[in-house]
Amino acid sequence: VSTQSTGDVDALISFSHLVNVNGNKAVDELELSLLQATEGTKKRDSDVTTTALSKVYQLTGFSDPVYAEAYINVNQYDIVLDVLVVNQTPDTLQNLTLELATLGDLKLVDKPSPITLAGNDFCNTKAQVKVASTETGIIFGNIVYDVTGVSGDRSCVVLNDIHIDIMDYIVPGHCTDAEFRKMWAEFEWENKVAIQTNVTDMTAYLAHLLQCTNMACLTPTQALSGDCGFLAANLYAKSVFGEDALANVSVEQDATSGVLSGHIRIRAKSQGMALSLGDKITMSQKKEQGA
């Protein structure tokens, strides 16, 4: 004997594909969408940096005849540039071409095709770049085009450089003390960075260093505890390309002023890895001092 279940004609039907489990609480996507549409969404301050807007790069100025900006989508070994091109003139632009070039261990594998853009119109074009190592890479280029009805040389707008963030390819790693000492002796490239910071707490500075370099601290927490005016720690990270990166942090605190001083020694098998991490630390320290 089969039983039938009945319900009101206006009763809400819940589909399993539309149910999202958020912390042990099932949420109906339809109700959630209606709630967001009527009341809006509340976003925490910590979520702002993770939005897509943080990966949008302005390539030209607002006063240029052609405005362009690029959204950088990093997918493991590939970088896809989704470029928005806006014609800010009333003229039709023919054979508009996005010409890109790379510096470093990057290779342009998909060149955008020429397009025709009507007056005050816009379009999207894509370019694909292959990444081979964690060496600091730069993408640069220009936009060239012909104006309909105007004879002469092609017009050109120079683009701002795009610096690829190596932190997208570096992840924290772990190794034994013996493996660390062996790699430290074998790696021939070393980059020494002086510590310049406004932070007066050594533990807080180490935490900031781990955050900006994506490295893991191999020194036990017990060895870092205490107040002796000196801190030393070993750091380790690994890239998605199999490259190892080592760092030794030696920090000393002035007993009178509380100012931190010392050095960070970075060692890697390749020169690009050592220089890239050193540049990342230097930029982080300058940004912190300017804040």
Side-chain angles (χ1 to χ4, degrees):
V1 179
S2 60
T3 59
Q4 296 182 350
S5 58
T6 59
D8 297 333
V9 292
D10 58 347
L12 182 64
I13 301 176
S14 179
F15 296 93
S16 59
H17 292 288
L18 299 179
V19 175
N20 179 28
V21 179
N22 185 10
N24 298 333
K25 183 180 179 181
V27 179
D28 194 323
E29 291 291 332
L30 180 59
E31 291 184 353
L32 182 61
S33 299
L34 291 174
L35 183 64
Q36 291 178 352
T38 55
E39 298 183 4
T41 57
K42 296 182 179 179
K43 189 177 289 292
R44 301 189 304 268
D45 294 337
S46 59
D47 295 337
V48 176
T49 56
T50 60
T51 60
L53 293 177
S54 62
K55 293 192 176 184
V56 174
Y57 292 81
Q58 182 178 340
L59 302 180
T60 63
F62 292 112
S63 60
D64 288 324
V66 177
Y67 173 77
E69 64 181 23
Y71 170 68
I72 309 298
N73 184 17
V74 179
N75 184 16
Q76 200 73 351
Y77 307 107
D78 296 327
I79 299 176
V80 178
L81 280 71
D82 190 354
V83 184
L84 170 67
V85 182
V86 182
N87 180 8
Q88 302 193 110
T89 68
D91 302 319
T92 300
L93 306 182
Q94 293 181 327
N95 296 325
L96 189 146
T97 307
L98 178 65
E99 298 180 344
L100 298 176
T102 58
L103 183 65
D105 215 345
L106 303 176
K107 182 181 179 182
L108 188 65
V109 295
D110 187 13
K111 296 182 179 180
S113 303
I115 55 179
T116 299
L117 206 56
N120 300 316
D121 197 4
F122 67 92
C123 69
N124 285 78
T125 182
K126 292 186 178 182
Q128 187 174 355
V129 178
K130 184 79 68 176
V131 185
S133 71
T134 50
E135 183 179 352
T136 300
I138 300 175
I139 303 175
F140 60 96
N142 49 54
I143 294 177
V144 295
Y145 57 90
D146 296 321
V147 181
T148 302
V150 178
S151 60
D153 297 334
R154 304 191 71 187
S155 302
C156 177
V157 178
V158 180
L159 305 178
N160 295 327
D161 297 342
I162 300 177
H163 294 260
I164 303 302
D165 191 1
I166 66 168
M167 292 300 106
D168 293 326
Y169 306 98
I170 295 180
V171 294
H174 180 75
C175 66
T176 63
D177 292 340
E179 292 172 340
F180 184 91
R181 288 191 295 267
K182 182 181 179 181
M183 288 187 290
W184 187 269
E186 292 177 351
F187 292 169
E188 55 184 10
W189 292 104
E190 178 174 319
N191 190 8
K192 193 174 183 180
V193 181
I195 295 177
Q196 297 176 346
T197 178
N198 296 328
V199 180
T200 56
D201 183 82
M202 293 184 291
T203 306
Y205 177 76
L206 179 61
H208 168 73
L209 191 63
L210 296 176
Q211 182 181 10
C212 72
T213 59
N214 281 359
M215 303 188 79
C217 183
L218 302 180
T219 305
T221 308
Q222 296 80 359
L224 300 175
S225 59
D227 186 13
C228 62
F230 182 83
L231 183 145
N234 292 331
L235 313 181
Y236 176 71
K238 199 176 186 68
S239 73
V240 297
F241 308 101
E243 301 169 307
D244 298 299
L246 312 176
N248 175 262
V249 184
S250 298
V251 189
E252 184 179 2
Q253 186 175 33
D254 187 90
T256 305
S257 61
V259 177
L260 302 183
S261 61
H263 291 87
I264 303 168
R265 298 171 62 191
I266 304 168
R267 286 198 180 184
K269 201 169 187 178
S270 63
Q271 183 184 20
M273 185 77 158
L275 293 178
S276 299
L277 275 176
D279 293 341
K280 189 68 179 179
I281 296 174
T282 303
M283 289 173 56
S284 176
Q285 292 186 143
K286 288 182 179 179
K287 184 178 180 181
E288 177 197 349
Q289 287 180 325

